[in-house]
Amino acid sequence: MILILTPDVDQQGAEYGQLIGFLDQLPNIQYRMHHEQGVQQRLTEVYLIGDTAALGLDYMKSLPCVERVVRVSEEYRVLGRHKDDTRPSDFEYNGVTFSQDNLNIFAGLCAVDTPEHVERMMQALQEHGQVCTRMGAYKPRTSPYSFQGHGKTCLPYVFELAGKYGIKVIAMEITHESHVAEIRAALHATGNPTGVMLQIGTRNTQNFELLKIVGRQQEFPVLIKRGFGITLDESINAAEYLASEGNRKVVFGLRGMKTNMGDPHRNFVDFAHVPVVKRLTRMPVCIDPSHSVGTRAVGPDGILDIMQVVAQGVIAGANMILIDFHPAPAKALVDGPQAMTLAELPHFLEDVALARETYLKRQALAQRYAQGAAS
Ligand code: PEP
Ligand code: MN
């Protein structure tokens, strides 16, 4: 059960004290407070765990400071979408809104290689009105002999260039808790010119200790990728680890599943699950066409497979696109064969806009028919 308290509740006030006193004496029930500072107001929610079946909704709603009560099912308590649950699905970070109702594009380098490539990428993004990007500094690689990313040494120039070109959020994978501290320190040292969305890669989806550490901080939002060889339920539970520790600024990323059934694509594209994740949870859903398709293969109609699956995901309501671009793919140190070129950026953006427009029209159409059926 979740108690949603009145916004900006006074934690020193007598009524709050009464509520806590009541909760403290409930038998076989533990509770956890969750505070979140929004743009307009401070929200407080109380998570009750244990023997809550006997607690009446109306009675709990009558308690001091309680505005609403949601009875949650066992699954995905914080991030799940429960019956009569009107908690928001959106959050804001560094001026960018993440929501199940909008779309953000994160085109950028799979791996940072040189300052020149970072600059050319960011300049192109700015020229096309983009304020988000992806920049890999810590790369988990299959072979220990492959390039592992420049790590913290590249962070200062990546952040400074982001500031120069108006980039507000950079998706950056981390594989160890020390990376969070390095990112925080580099942002601080460069005067916080940009923001970072921490990315949990598919190889770390069930690295529970990493999830707990990333979940305990609320400074950076998190993009968690679906595990490539586990069930959807297991991956959503992994996201719930982040939220249960306190960080609910979480985006869920689909990036294809590991199976030879998807051949000749690198992974079996799972973007049919965009609406499924939106139905089960309140997380915005990201699609990663690059790591799904893995090649620049092109159809007889002249459309890259990567762009086809982007359109499939966006037309189904995806909220974020994480996609590899590179100014000189042949020189990329990681995943060059799947990178799109800067010359292809305007085409890509126009194609995405078409798919998004179609999604919005489809949504309006569904609403129109639902209203018609109701009358
Ligand atoms: C990536 O986005 O750079 C990446 C390694 O993705 P994934 O974790 O999905 O393989
Ligand atoms: Mn990659």
Side-chain angles (χ1 to χ4, degrees):
M1 178 177 277
I2 304 174
L3 310 182
I4 297 150
L5 306 191
T6 41
D8 296 319
V9 68
D10 176 10
Q11 287 179 60
Q12 312 306 327
E15 290 203 320
Y16 189 83
Q18 278 169 21
L19 174 68
I20 298 297
F22 174 82
L23 297 176
D24 280 339
Q25 54 79 48
L26 284 176
N28 303 322
I29 289 180
Q30 289 94 49
Y31 67 92
R32 186 189 284 194
M33 312 297 292
H34 178 88
H35 304 285
E36 200 161 297
Q37 185 62 53
V39 184
Q40 310 279 345
Q41 53 196 14
R42 185 174 161 82
L43 296 173
T44 304
E45 293 179 355
V46 189
Y47 290 83
L48 303 182
I49 298 161
D51 207 359
T52 58
L55 303 176
L57 280 187
D58 287 340
Y59 182 71
M60 297 305 283
K61 192 159 177 252
S62 73
L63 293 172
C65 307
V66 175
E67 189 175 83
R68 274 183 301 126
V69 181
V70 179
R71 199 183 282 290
V72 297
S73 49
E74 281 304 299
E75 286 188 322
Y76 326 139
R77 288 173 202 204
V78 183
L79 294 173
R81 189 178 274 291
H82 307 287
K83 190 170 174 292
D84 301 326
D85 187 356
T86 52
R87 291 175 298 157
S89 72
D90 60 318
F91 63 87
E92 196 179 314
Y93 174 64
N94 210 28
V96 179
T97 300
F98 294 86
S99 155
Q100 285 197 338
D101 298 321
N102 71 353
L103 174 65
N104 292 299
I105 301 174
F106 283 64
L109 305 183
C110 176
V112 172
D113 41 30
T114 68
E116 293 70 29
H117 288 154
V118 172
E119 178 148 25
R120 281 172 64 194
M121 184 73 234
M122 290 183 176
Q123 191 173 12
L125 289 170
Q126 187 183 49
E127 278 166 17
H128 291 94
Q130 299 301 305
V131 295
C132 300
T133 189
R134 58 160 295 148
M135 289 282 151
Y138 308 95
K139 299 303 301 176
R141 304 304 302 283
T142 303
S143 165
Y145 308 112
S146 302
F147 172 62
Q148 306 282 312
H150 286 310
K152 69 176 176 185
T153 57
C154 70
L155 300 181
Y157 69 77
V158 170
F159 295 160
E160 274 162 10
L161 287 167
K164 180 174 171 189
Y165 291 103
I167 299 291
K168 293 182 184 306
V169 187
I170 303 175
M172 185 175 278
E173 178 164 0
I174 50 132
T175 59
H176 190 268
E177 62 176 292
S178 59
H179 302 160
V180 185
E182 288 172 9
I183 288 170
R184 187 180 289 120
L187 280 173
H188 185 72
T190 52
N192 292 306
T194 188
V196 171
M197 174 176 270
L198 302 175
Q199 187 176 320
I200 304 283
T202 195
R203 291 158 188 81
N204 274 314
T205 306
Q206 284 189 312
N207 183 341
F208 299 119
E209 297 311 315
L210 182 64
L211 296 176
K212 285 186 207 163
I213 284 158
V214 171
R216 267 176 224 137
Q217 61 78 42
Q218 288 192 28
E219 184 180 356
F220 303 110
V222 187
L223 166 64
I224 181 166
K225 297 270 198 96
R226 179 181 189 170
F228 55 27
I230 57 177
T231 64
L232 182 63
D233 173 61
E234 286 164 334
S235 289
I236 297 178
N237 267 303
E240 185 74 11
Y241 261 90
L242 298 162
S244 72
E245 292 292 332
N247 191 343
R248 71 177 50 177
K249 294 178 179 164
V250 183
V251 176
F252 189 82
L254 299 173
R255 47 82 68 213
M257 302 300 289
K258 210 178 204 27
T259 155
N260 289 345
M261 304 290 185
D263 288 355
H265 289 165
R266 183 172 172 182
N267 288 289
F268 200 23
V269 183
D270 54 350
F271 299 169
H273 284 178
V274 167
V276 176
V277 178
K278 288 173 80 170
R279 183 166 66 238
L280 292 174
T281 79
R282 296 175 299 121
M283 287 183 279
V285 180
C286 174
I287 52 168
D288 177 341
S290 306
H291 292 83
S292 298
V293 170
T295 76
R296 290 181 44 84
V298 62
D301 53 12
I303 301 175
L304 289 173
D305 286 12
I306 290 177
M307 298 233 308
Q308 292 283 16
V309 302
V310 168
Q312 289 163 13
V314 171
I315 220 166
N319 307 114
M320 174 170 159
I321 306 169
L322 186 77
I323 178 162
D324 292 359
F325 272 74
H326 198 284
K331 293 190 189 158
L333 296 178
V334 184
D335 285 347
Q338 70 192 25
M340 292 185 61
T341 66
L342 300 189
E344 290 168 329
L345 185 60
H347 176 187
F348 164 77
L349 292 172
E350 225 179 291
D351 201 52
V352 169
L354 266 182
R356 177 70 187 166
E357 197 186 311
T358 304
Y359 167 71
L360 292 173
K361 284 185 182 158
R362 294 177 62 228
Q363 190 184 35
L365 186 68
Q367 277 163 11
R368 185 152 60 76
Y369 272 92
Q371 277 161 11
S375 62

